[in-house]
Structures are given as structure tokens and as C-alpha cells.
Amino acid sequence: MCALLAFWICVSLPLVVIGFFFGFRKQPYEYSVRTNKIPRPIPNQLWYMRTVPSMLLAGILPFGAVFIELYFIFSAIWENQIYTLFSFLFLVYVILVVCCAEIAVVIVYFQLCTENYRWWWKSFFVAAGTGVYVFAYGAFFYCSKLDIVGFTSTVLYFGYTALMSITFGIFTGSVGFFASFLFVRYVYSAVKID
């Protein structure tokens, strides 16, 4: 208990104070274009440009970049095997980040071309759709490779797999959002303001 308290006082508390100090001094973002106070109506979107279909369709590509590595990671976690390919894992990580950024930027570009200006959450969910496929792969791995018996073990497996999938989705969604944010800022900074 004392070690946990010391960790909180010596590590967490100073980092919070430093983050507050730098965050409070940072200037807010300035947008390069003016927005109208009355929102424009958004035209009807095609079925594949809605959030759920585009999330499921766009999540396939980043998942395809990492699914072979997922086999080795799941084997290392659940079958007590040793994972030694960390350099290859870093390369797959870089490919995943680039792929999520490109997919989110392309979907946001298509969305802006169809006059849909609500791109903020869609850019997150499009890249976060990879987490759905990671969970589906976890279910496939459970059915095909593992010999887990018992209700408690199954709940533990799917609980931990859900946590990993949600964390993976939050990470890839954040990458997609920041890439889309930089893209939209760059594109609209070239627009001349009247």
C-alpha cells in the first residue's frame, strides 16, 4: 500500500502538474476558415458513406496489415509461447499507423466531397473499426486453436479480448482522427477567406 501511495506521489502527481502547466499555457487552435452560424443541410449520403458501413469496410485494410502478427501475439498470451519478433512487430506497427491514417483521410475526403461536414467522429470510427475485426479474430482463435473449458475461463478470455480490441480501436481511431484533422487543416488553409 505504501509503495502504491509513493508511486502516486512521486510519479503521477508531478506528471499531472506538468501536464496542467503546459496545457494551460498552450494557445487554442485557430481555424483557417470562418464557419456560418446556421448549419447547411447535409445531402442524402450513399449507403456505404454512413458511419457503420464505412467503419466495417474501412476496418478491413488495417486489420489485413496486422492479422498475421495477431496469431503470434495471441499464441504468446494464451498458449504460453515465447514471442521474439519484436523488430517485425515494430514494422507492422508502422504499417498499421500509416494504413489507418490513409484510410481515415480518404474517407474524410470522400465525405467532404459529398458536402458532409460532420467528419470529426466519423474519422475516429472509421479507423477504430479495426477493433471489431480484432475481436472477431479473437473469437476465431478461441474456436480454432484453444481448448478452453469452463464458463469462467471463457468469460475471462472474451473479457480480455474485448479489452484488447477496445484499446486497439481507441488507438487506431486516434491515429485516424489526428491524421484527418491535419489533412482538413492543411486543405482548408489553402482556401482564401473572403
Side-chain angles (χ1 to χ4, degrees):
M1 184 67 182
C2 291
L4 186 62
L5 183 64
F7 179 74
W8 182 74
I9 290 173
C10 296
V11 176
S12 183
L13 190 63
L15 288 177
V16 167
V17 171
I18 291 170
F20 167 77
F21 177 73
F22 286 115
F24 189 72
R25 292 183 44 198
K26 185 169 175 56
Q27 297 297 320
Y29 289 115
E30 293 192 22
Y31 302 108
S32 56
V33 294
R34 286 182 314 197
T35 56
N36 195 356
K37 295 202 185 280
I38 302 171
R40 291 176 53 182
I42 298 172
N44 289 334
Q45 304 292 307
L46 297 171
W47 68 271
Y48 56 85
M49 289 304 291
R50 295 194 180 110
T51 302
V52 174
S54 62
M55 180 178 82
L56 293 176
L57 291 172
I60 294 173
L61 192 60
F63 174 74
V66 299
F67 84 95
I68 293 176
E69 233 14 67
L70 280 177
Y71 171 76
F72 295 114
I73 292 172
F74 273 88
S75 295
I77 293 172
W78 298 108
E79 293 182 336
N80 295 327
Q81 295 181 2
I82 298 173
Y83 186 81
T84 57
L85 301 170
F86 291 107
S87 59
F88 188 69
L89 181 64
F90 179 73
L91 179 65
V92 169
Y93 168 77
V94 171
I95 292 170
L96 173 71
V97 168
V98 170
C99 188
C100 285
E102 288 177 349
I103 287 293
V105 166
V106 167
I107 295 295
V108 166
Y109 175 74
F110 287 152
Q111 186 175 0
L112 291 175
C113 286
T114 59
E115 299 178 10
N116 188 352
Y117 53 85
R118 295 183 182 159
W119 60 269
W120 293 77
W121 280 106
K122 185 173 246 183
S123 66
F124 178 83
F125 286 125
V126 160
T130 310
V132 174
Y133 290 103
V134 170
F135 186 78
Y137 183 78
F140 169 74
F141 189 82
Y142 174 81
C143 293
S144 64
K145 298 289 182 192
L146 297 179
D147 294 326
I148 295 178
V149 290
F151 178 73
T152 306
S153 301
T154 303
V155 168
L156 278 174
Y157 174 79
F158 281 107
Y160 281 124
T161 303
L163 286 175
M164 286 189 317
S165 302
I166 290 169
T167 304
F168 194 79
I170 289 172
F171 167 71
T172 54
S174 299
V175 168
F177 171 75
F178 284 120
S180 300
F181 182 74
L182 292 174
F183 168 74
V184 170
R185 273 188 75 167
Y186 178 74
V187 166
Y188 283 109
S189 66
V191 174
K192 297 195 187 253
I193 300 173
D194 295 320

